[in-house]
Short mmCIF file of all heavy atoms in Angstrom, two decimals:
data_model
loop_
_atom_site.label_atom_id
_atom_site.label_comp_id
_atom_site.label_asym_id
_atom_site.label_seq_id
_atom_site.Cartn_x
_atom_site.Cartn_y
_atom_site.Cartn_z
N LEU A 166 100.28 102.65 -13.17
CA LEU A 166 100.15 104.20 -13.04
C LEU A 166 101.35 104.79 -12.37
O LEU A 166 101.78 105.92 -12.76
CB LEU A 166 98.98 104.53 -12.20
CG LEU A 166 97.50 104.04 -12.76
CD1 LEU A 166 96.30 104.46 -11.94
CD2 LEU A 166 97.45 104.63 -14.29
N THR A 167 101.93 104.20 -11.38
CA THR A 167 103.08 104.76 -10.69
C THR A 167 104.30 104.86 -11.69
O THR A 167 104.97 105.92 -11.75
CB THR A 167 103.49 103.93 -9.42
OG1 THR A 167 102.41 103.95 -8.52
CG2 THR A 167 104.69 104.44 -8.75
N GLY A 168 104.43 103.84 -12.36
CA GLY A 168 105.60 103.92 -13.49
C GLY A 168 105.40 104.89 -14.35
O GLY A 168 106.23 105.65 -14.83
N ARG A 169 104.08 105.02 -15.01
CA ARG A 169 103.87 106.08 -15.89
C ARG A 169 104.08 107.53 -15.34
O ARG A 169 104.57 108.39 -15.95
CB ARG A 169 102.37 105.97 -16.47
CG ARG A 169 102.22 104.87 -17.36
CD ARG A 169 100.83 104.55 -17.81
NE ARG A 169 100.74 103.36 -18.58
CZ ARG A 169 99.53 102.96 -19.08
NH1 ARG A 169 98.46 103.52 -18.77
NH2 ARG A 169 99.52 101.90 -19.87
N ALA A 170 103.55 107.75 -14.10
CA ALA A 170 103.69 108.91 -13.43
C ALA A 170 105.10 109.40 -13.34
O ALA A 170 105.64 110.42 -13.52
CB ALA A 170 103.05 108.97 -12.13
N ARG A 171 105.98 108.35 -12.75
CA ARG A 171 107.41 108.54 -12.56
C ARG A 171 108.14 108.91 -13.94
O ARG A 171 108.85 109.92 -13.95
CB ARG A 171 108.11 107.32 -12.09
CG ARG A 171 109.53 107.50 -11.74
CD ARG A 171 110.15 106.22 -11.28
NE ARG A 171 109.52 105.36 -10.36
CZ ARG A 171 108.97 104.19 -10.55
NH1 ARG A 171 108.98 103.75 -11.81
NH2 ARG A 171 108.19 103.62 -9.68
N THR A 172 107.66 108.22 -15.05
CA THR A 172 108.32 108.48 -16.31
C THR A 172 107.96 109.99 -16.85
O THR A 172 108.87 110.58 -17.37
CB THR A 172 107.78 107.49 -17.25
OG1 THR A 172 108.21 106.27 -16.80
CG2 THR A 172 108.40 107.81 -18.74
N MET A 173 106.68 110.40 -16.46
CA MET A 173 106.29 111.60 -17.00
C MET A 173 107.04 112.79 -16.15
O MET A 173 107.49 113.90 -16.74
CB MET A 173 104.80 111.95 -16.78
CG MET A 173 104.04 111.18 -17.83
SD MET A 173 102.25 111.71 -17.84
CE MET A 173 101.61 110.70 -16.44
N LEU A 174 107.26 112.54 -14.86
CA LEU A 174 108.05 113.49 -14.00
C LEU A 174 109.46 113.61 -14.56
O LEU A 174 109.96 114.78 -14.62
CB LEU A 174 108.04 113.05 -12.60
CG LEU A 174 106.72 113.31 -11.78
CD1 LEU A 174 106.88 112.71 -10.34
CD2 LEU A 174 106.42 114.81 -11.63
N LEU A 175 109.98 112.51 -14.68
CA LEU A 175 111.49 112.59 -15.14
C LEU A 175 111.59 113.08 -16.58
O LEU A 175 112.66 113.98 -16.82
CB LEU A 175 111.95 111.07 -15.18
CG LEU A 175 112.19 110.48 -13.83
CD1 LEU A 175 112.59 109.04 -13.74
CD2 LEU A 175 113.19 111.34 -12.89
N ALA A 176 110.77 112.72 -17.51
CA ALA A 176 110.81 113.22 -18.92
C ALA A 176 110.68 114.74 -18.92
O ALA A 176 111.29 115.55 -19.70
CB ALA A 176 109.77 112.67 -19.76
N ALA A 177 109.80 115.31 -18.01
CA ALA A 177 109.58 116.76 -17.97
C ALA A 177 110.45 117.53 -17.14
O ALA A 177 110.58 118.75 -17.28
CB ALA A 177 108.08 116.95 -17.49
N GLY A 178 111.36 116.81 -16.28
CA GLY A 178 112.22 117.48 -15.50
C GLY A 178 111.54 118.08 -14.23
O GLY A 178 112.08 119.01 -13.65
N ALA A 179 110.30 117.61 -14.02
CA ALA A 179 109.54 118.22 -12.80
C ALA A 179 110.07 117.61 -11.61
O ALA A 179 110.51 116.57 -11.43
CB ALA A 179 108.00 117.88 -13.10
N SER A 180 109.73 118.48 -10.50
CA SER A 180 110.11 118.03 -9.17
C SER A 180 109.02 116.94 -8.60
O SER A 180 107.94 116.85 -9.19
CB SER A 180 110.17 119.22 -8.07
OG SER A 180 108.75 119.48 -7.77
N GLN A 181 109.42 116.26 -7.64
CA GLN A 181 108.53 115.13 -7.12
C GLN A 181 107.36 115.80 -6.52
O GLN A 181 106.39 115.15 -6.25
CB GLN A 181 109.28 114.29 -6.15
CG GLN A 181 110.23 113.43 -6.81
CD GLN A 181 110.92 112.42 -5.90
OE1 GLN A 181 110.62 112.33 -4.72
NE2 GLN A 181 112.04 111.73 -6.40
N GLY A 182 107.37 117.06 -6.27
CA GLY A 182 106.28 117.82 -5.69
C GLY A 182 105.02 117.76 -6.58
O GLY A 182 103.89 117.99 -6.17
N PHE A 183 105.18 117.46 -7.82
CA PHE A 183 104.16 117.40 -8.81
C PHE A 183 103.68 115.86 -9.05
O PHE A 183 103.00 115.66 -10.14
CB PHE A 183 104.67 118.00 -10.22
CG PHE A 183 104.72 119.54 -10.07
CD1 PHE A 183 105.82 120.21 -9.79
CD2 PHE A 183 103.58 120.37 -10.34
CE1 PHE A 183 105.99 121.50 -9.71
CE2 PHE A 183 103.58 121.57 -10.26
CZ PHE A 183 104.77 122.29 -9.95
N TRP A 184 104.08 114.99 -8.15
CA TRP A 184 103.66 113.59 -8.31
C TRP A 184 102.17 113.30 -8.40
O TRP A 184 101.69 112.56 -9.23
CB TRP A 184 104.28 112.77 -7.30
CG TRP A 184 103.63 112.88 -5.89
CD1 TRP A 184 104.00 113.68 -5.00
CD2 TRP A 184 102.53 112.15 -5.49
NE1 TRP A 184 103.14 113.58 -3.94
CE2 TRP A 184 102.19 112.61 -4.22
CE3 TRP A 184 101.70 111.15 -6.04
CZ2 TRP A 184 101.02 112.14 -3.51
CZ3 TRP A 184 100.69 110.65 -5.30
CH2 TRP A 184 100.31 111.10 -4.02
N SER A 185 101.31 114.10 -7.64
CA SER A 185 99.99 113.88 -7.72
C SER A 185 99.35 114.32 -8.93
O SER A 185 98.45 113.62 -9.49
CB SER A 185 99.15 114.58 -6.50
OG SER A 185 99.52 115.92 -6.67
N GLU A 186 99.90 115.28 -9.75
CA GLU A 186 99.42 115.85 -10.96
C GLU A 186 99.73 114.69 -11.96
O GLU A 186 98.99 114.48 -12.97
CB GLU A 186 99.84 117.16 -11.35
CG GLU A 186 99.28 118.23 -10.68
CD GLU A 186 99.55 118.46 -9.20
OE1 GLU A 186 100.59 117.92 -8.82
OE2 GLU A 186 98.79 118.87 -8.41
N SER A 187 101.04 114.23 -11.90
CA SER A 187 101.49 113.25 -12.92
C SER A 187 100.65 111.87 -12.79
O SER A 187 100.35 111.17 -13.71
CB SER A 187 102.98 112.93 -12.87
OG SER A 187 103.37 112.22 -11.58
N PHE A 188 100.46 111.66 -11.48
CA PHE A 188 99.60 110.27 -11.25
C PHE A 188 98.24 110.51 -11.76
O PHE A 188 97.57 109.53 -12.47
CB PHE A 188 99.59 109.94 -9.70
CG PHE A 188 99.26 108.70 -9.51
CD1 PHE A 188 100.12 107.59 -9.39
CD2 PHE A 188 97.81 108.29 -9.21
CE1 PHE A 188 99.78 106.24 -9.12
CE2 PHE A 188 97.50 107.04 -8.96
CZ PHE A 188 98.46 105.96 -8.88
N ALA A 189 97.58 111.63 -11.60
CA ALA A 189 96.15 111.92 -11.97
C ALA A 189 96.19 111.92 -13.51
O ALA A 189 95.21 111.35 -14.13
CB ALA A 189 95.74 113.23 -11.52
N TYR A 190 97.20 112.40 -14.17
CA TYR A 190 97.15 112.50 -15.59
C TYR A 190 97.48 111.09 -16.21
O TYR A 190 96.76 110.55 -17.24
CB TYR A 190 98.17 113.46 -16.10
CG TYR A 190 98.05 113.75 -17.50
CD1 TYR A 190 96.83 114.10 -18.21
CD2 TYR A 190 99.17 113.63 -18.53
CE1 TYR A 190 96.79 114.28 -19.49
CE2 TYR A 190 99.04 113.97 -19.83
CZ TYR A 190 97.86 114.27 -20.38
OH TYR A 190 97.66 114.46 -21.65
N ALA A 191 98.23 110.23 -15.54
CA ALA A 191 98.54 108.82 -15.91
C ALA A 191 97.17 108.14 -15.71
O ALA A 191 96.83 107.25 -16.65
CB ALA A 191 99.65 108.25 -14.94
N ARG A 192 96.48 108.44 -14.79
CA ARG A 192 95.07 107.65 -14.55
C ARG A 192 94.18 108.16 -15.60
O ARG A 192 93.39 107.22 -16.21
CB ARG A 192 94.53 107.96 -13.21
CG ARG A 192 93.17 107.34 -12.91
CD ARG A 192 92.46 107.91 -11.77
NE ARG A 192 91.93 109.27 -12.16
CZ ARG A 192 92.10 110.29 -11.38
NH1 ARG A 192 92.68 110.34 -10.32
NH2 ARG A 192 91.60 111.55 -11.87
N HIS A 193 94.12 109.37 -16.11
CA HIS A 193 93.39 109.92 -17.17
C HIS A 193 93.67 109.14 -18.51
O HIS A 193 92.71 108.77 -19.11
CB HIS A 193 93.48 111.34 -17.33
CG HIS A 193 92.84 111.96 -18.42
ND1 HIS A 193 91.39 112.19 -18.36
CD2 HIS A 193 93.17 112.31 -19.56
CE1 HIS A 193 91.01 112.78 -19.55
NE2 HIS A 193 92.13 112.80 -20.43
N ILE A 194 94.99 109.09 -18.71
CA ILE A 194 95.46 108.33 -19.92
C ILE A 194 94.95 106.88 -19.87
O ILE A 194 94.55 106.39 -20.88
CB ILE A 194 96.90 108.47 -20.20
CG1 ILE A 194 97.28 109.98 -20.48
CG2 ILE A 194 97.41 107.62 -21.22
CD1 ILE A 194 98.82 110.23 -20.36
N HIS A 195 95.25 106.23 -18.62
CA HIS A 195 94.82 104.81 -18.61
C HIS A 195 93.27 104.67 -18.86
O HIS A 195 92.90 103.69 -19.57
CB HIS A 195 95.18 104.31 -17.17
CG HIS A 195 94.90 102.86 -16.95
ND1 HIS A 195 95.82 101.93 -17.46
CD2 HIS A 195 93.92 102.14 -16.36
CE1 HIS A 195 95.29 100.68 -17.04
NE2 HIS A 195 94.17 100.92 -16.47
N ASN A 196 92.50 105.56 -18.39
CA ASN A 196 91.05 105.38 -18.44
C ASN A 196 90.52 105.67 -19.90
O ASN A 196 89.48 105.46 -20.27
CB ASN A 196 90.35 106.27 -17.46
CG ASN A 196 90.36 105.80 -16.02
OD1 ASN A 196 90.69 104.66 -15.86
ND2 ASN A 196 90.23 106.62 -15.07
N ASN A 197 91.40 106.31 -20.67
CA ASN A 197 91.21 106.69 -22.13
C ASN A 197 91.89 105.86 -23.10
O ASN A 197 92.10 106.31 -24.22
CB ASN A 197 91.15 108.29 -22.27
CG ASN A 197 90.09 108.95 -21.68
OD1 ASN A 197 89.07 108.94 -22.00
ND2 ASN A 197 90.42 109.55 -20.46
N THR A 198 92.43 104.73 -22.64
CA THR A 198 93.12 103.89 -23.42
C THR A 198 92.32 102.58 -23.72
O THR A 198 91.71 102.06 -22.63
CB THR A 198 94.55 103.54 -22.87
OG1 THR A 198 95.29 104.74 -22.72
CG2 THR A 198 95.38 102.63 -23.79
N ALA A 199 92.35 102.02 -24.85
CA ALA A 199 91.56 100.82 -25.13
C ALA A 199 92.22 99.60 -24.28
O ALA A 199 93.40 99.53 -24.28
CB ALA A 199 91.50 100.48 -26.63
N HIS A 200 91.32 98.76 -23.79
CA HIS A 200 91.69 97.70 -23.02
C HIS A 200 91.15 96.38 -23.72
O HIS A 200 89.89 96.27 -23.97
CB HIS A 200 91.33 97.69 -21.62
CG HIS A 200 91.99 98.88 -20.86
ND1 HIS A 200 93.25 98.75 -20.29
CD2 HIS A 200 91.54 100.10 -20.55
CE1 HIS A 200 93.65 99.96 -19.78
NE2 HIS A 200 92.50 100.81 -19.93
N ALA A 201 91.89 95.31 -23.69
CA ALA A 201 91.34 93.94 -24.37
C ALA A 201 90.24 93.55 -23.58
O ALA A 201 89.37 92.88 -24.15
CB ALA A 201 92.59 92.98 -24.56
N ARG A 202 90.27 93.58 -22.29
CA ARG A 202 89.29 92.86 -21.50
C ARG A 202 87.96 93.41 -21.60
O ARG A 202 86.93 92.91 -21.13
CB ARG A 202 89.78 92.92 -19.91
CG ARG A 202 91.02 92.10 -19.67
CD ARG A 202 91.22 91.95 -18.12
NE ARG A 202 90.17 91.06 -17.64
CZ ARG A 202 90.17 90.48 -16.54
NH1 ARG A 202 91.33 90.49 -15.88
NH2 ARG A 202 89.20 89.66 -16.15
N ILE A 203 87.79 94.63 -22.26
CA ILE A 203 86.52 95.17 -22.42
C ILE A 203 86.26 95.34 -23.93
O ILE A 203 85.67 96.50 -24.34
CB ILE A 203 86.32 96.59 -21.66
CG1 ILE A 203 87.41 97.47 -21.77
CG2 ILE A 203 86.06 96.17 -20.06
CD1 ILE A 203 87.20 98.87 -21.16
N GLY A 204 86.77 94.51 -24.80
CA GLY A 204 86.54 94.62 -26.26
C GLY A 204 87.24 95.77 -26.86
O GLY A 204 86.67 96.29 -27.88
N TRP A 205 88.44 96.07 -26.45
CA TRP A 205 89.24 97.12 -27.01
C TRP A 205 88.42 98.39 -26.97
O TRP A 205 88.55 99.29 -27.74
CB TRP A 205 89.75 96.71 -28.34
CG TRP A 205 90.60 95.64 -28.27
CD1 TRP A 205 90.52 94.33 -28.75
CD2 TRP A 205 92.02 95.58 -27.85
NE1 TRP A 205 91.59 93.71 -28.38
CE2 TRP A 205 92.60 94.57 -27.92
CE3 TRP A 205 92.79 96.70 -27.24
CZ2 TRP A 205 93.86 94.15 -27.39
CZ3 TRP A 205 94.00 96.34 -26.76
CH2 TRP A 205 94.46 95.18 -26.81
N ARG A 206 87.64 98.61 -25.90
CA ARG A 206 86.95 99.91 -25.65
C ARG A 206 87.70 100.61 -24.45
O ARG A 206 88.50 99.84 -23.84
CB ARG A 206 85.53 99.75 -25.37
CG ARG A 206 84.78 99.23 -26.54
CD ARG A 206 83.32 99.03 -26.13
NE ARG A 206 83.28 97.84 -25.21
CZ ARG A 206 82.34 97.61 -24.51
NH1 ARG A 206 81.03 98.33 -24.52
NH2 ARG A 206 82.30 96.61 -23.48
N THR A 207 87.54 101.88 -24.36
CA THR A 207 88.13 102.55 -23.13
C THR A 207 87.30 102.41 -22.04
O THR A 207 86.02 102.44 -22.13
CB THR A 207 88.43 104.02 -23.42
OG1 THR A 207 87.14 104.67 -23.69
CG2 THR A 207 89.18 104.14 -24.75
N PRO A 208 87.79 102.38 -20.71
CA PRO A 208 86.95 102.42 -19.60
C PRO A 208 86.03 103.68 -19.46
O PRO A 208 84.82 103.55 -19.11
CB PRO A 208 87.92 102.37 -18.42
CG PRO A 208 89.18 101.74 -18.91
CD PRO A 208 89.14 102.18 -20.37
N ALA A 209 86.47 104.83 -19.83
CA ALA A 209 85.64 106.09 -19.94
C ALA A 209 84.58 105.84 -20.91
O ALA A 209 83.40 106.30 -20.55
CB ALA A 209 86.57 107.15 -20.21
N SER A 210 84.75 105.32 -22.06
CA SER A 210 83.57 105.22 -22.94
C SER A 210 82.55 104.21 -22.57
O SER A 210 81.46 104.48 -22.75
CB SER A 210 84.08 104.92 -24.38
OG SER A 210 84.76 103.57 -24.51
N VAL A 211 83.01 103.10 -21.84
CA VAL A 211 82.08 102.18 -21.30
C VAL A 211 81.33 102.65 -20.27
O VAL A 211 80.12 102.49 -20.22
CB VAL A 211 82.86 100.81 -20.79
CG1 VAL A 211 82.03 100.01 -20.02
CG2 VAL A 211 83.51 100.16 -21.96
N LEU A 212 81.90 103.50 -19.34
CA LEU A 212 81.19 104.18 -18.13
C LEU A 212 80.43 105.22 -18.59
O LEU A 212 79.07 105.33 -18.19
CB LEU A 212 82.35 104.61 -17.18
CG LEU A 212 81.77 105.25 -15.78
CD1 LEU A 212 80.92 104.11 -15.11
CD2 LEU A 212 82.81 105.75 -15.06
N PHE A 213 80.67 106.16 -19.39
CA PHE A 213 79.90 107.35 -19.82
C PHE A 213 79.16 107.18 -21.06
O PHE A 213 78.43 108.07 -21.43
CB PHE A 213 80.89 108.56 -19.87
CG PHE A 213 81.56 108.81 -18.62
CD1 PHE A 213 83.00 108.73 -18.43
CD2 PHE A 213 80.73 109.10 -17.34
CE1 PHE A 213 83.55 108.97 -17.26
CE2 PHE A 213 81.50 109.24 -16.19
CZ PHE A 213 82.88 109.25 -16.08
#
């Protein structure tokens, strides 16, 4: 998540003051991405 958040900040040209928003969005993307350990389903779809 830290790597994804850093990449988003740098790609957008955003200041480090927006790190919490980029980290939260990286978490959102991670939770809505299919994972092999749960049968290629997303954590959000399994939970909700």
Side-chain angles (χ1 to χ4, degrees):
L166 296 179
T167 301
R169 289 177 181 174
R171 181 185 318 108
T172 301
M173 286 190 283
L174 284 174
L175 292 172
S180 74
Q181 289 184 7
F183 288 93
W184 74 267
S185 61
E186 282 74 27
S187 67
F188 196 90
Y190 193 49
R192 185 194 68 229
H193 176 81
I194 292 169
H195 184 80
N196 288 338
N197 287 284
T198 302
H200 297 276
R202 294 192 69 160
I203 53 175
W205 293 108
R206 295 176 295 164
T207 67
S210 66
V211 170
L212 184 61
F213 302 116

